């Protein structure tokens, strides 16, 4: 056996036991998705899942997304908002809510602040450069937002399990 084959064979043997251990459905904390959750929301369910437009010091925002219908409604109506944020936790990316979000101007003034009602947040911020922070269960994330004159900036923020 040539040295290259030996290294490759050792590598494959080394990984083989780990492949079964990494199957997420066999890991602690795995939550299987029900057949109902796999189904897309009907147009009536989406329409009934509307969330109210809120304001923070004149800045409009939408938050929610706790079910497929509400997420579909938010994706449709949030498309016109220049900032789209989505929050999750862990390797699997399970959605989270009750995330404290703060957006600051370059001179460190708070431009927006809210606690999410679901994993999605759409903010109607004017064009500009901002620094944002998101806090969930004692974990903090800082990130920049370059809000365009047209279109949307999107960020997915993940927290540890």
């Amino acid at each position: 056996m040539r040295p290259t084959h030996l290294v490759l064979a050792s590598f494959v043997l080394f990984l083989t036991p780990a492949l079964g251990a990494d199957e997420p459905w066999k890991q602690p904390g795995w939550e299987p998705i029900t057949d109902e959750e796999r189904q897309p929301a009907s147009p009536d369910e989406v329409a009934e899942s509307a969330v109210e437009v809120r304001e923070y010091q004149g800045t409009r925002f939408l938050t929610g997304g706790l079910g497929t219908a509400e997420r579909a409604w938010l994706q449709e109506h949030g498309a016109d908002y220049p900032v789209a944020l989505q929050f999750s936790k862990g390797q699997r990316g399970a959605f989270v809510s009750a995330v404290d979000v703060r957006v600051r101007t370059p001179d460190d003034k708070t431009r927006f602040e809210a606690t999410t009602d679901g994993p999605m947040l759409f903010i109607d911020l004017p064009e500009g450069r901002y620094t944002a922070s998101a806090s969930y269960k004692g974990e903090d994330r800082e990130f920049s937002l370059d809000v365009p004159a047209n279109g949307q900036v999107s960020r997915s923020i993940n927290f540890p399990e």
Side-chain angles (χ1 to χ4, degrees), residues 25-134:
W25 54 90
K26 294 182 180 176
Q27 297 297 313
W30 174 261
E31 300 171 16
I33 296 174
T34 65
D35 287 339
E36 184 179 320
E37 290 173 314
R38 290 181 201 278
Q39 302 304 314
S42 72
D44 288 340
E45 290 171 319
V46 172
E48 292 170 5
S49 296
V51 301
E52 73 177 78
V53 176
R54 297 201 211 152
E55 282 192 22
Y56 173 85
Q57 297 180 352
T59 300
R60 296 177 324 129
F61 70 97
L62 301 169
T63 182
L66 291 178
T68 55
E70 195 171 279
R71 281 193 300 278
W73 189 92
L74 282 166
Q75 286 171 337
E76 179 182 338
H77 292 87
D80 294 331
Y81 286 67
V83 177
L85 303 176
Q86 183 170 297
F87 304 98
S88 62
K89 69 176 181 177
Q91 184 178 5
R92 182 172 172 238
F95 289 142
V96 296
S97 61
V99 177
D100 296 321
V101 178
R102 184 175 174 217
V103 178
R104 297 177 311 282
T105 60
D107 58 353
D108 207 35
K109 291 184 181 170
T110 299
R111 181 68 170 88
F112 174 82
E113 197 167 29
T115 300
T116 67
D117 289 340
M120 301 170 84
L121 176 63
F122 295 89
I123 312 169
D124 192 13
L125 284 173
E127 176 185 6
R129 183 173 226 136
Y130 303 91
T131 301
S133 61

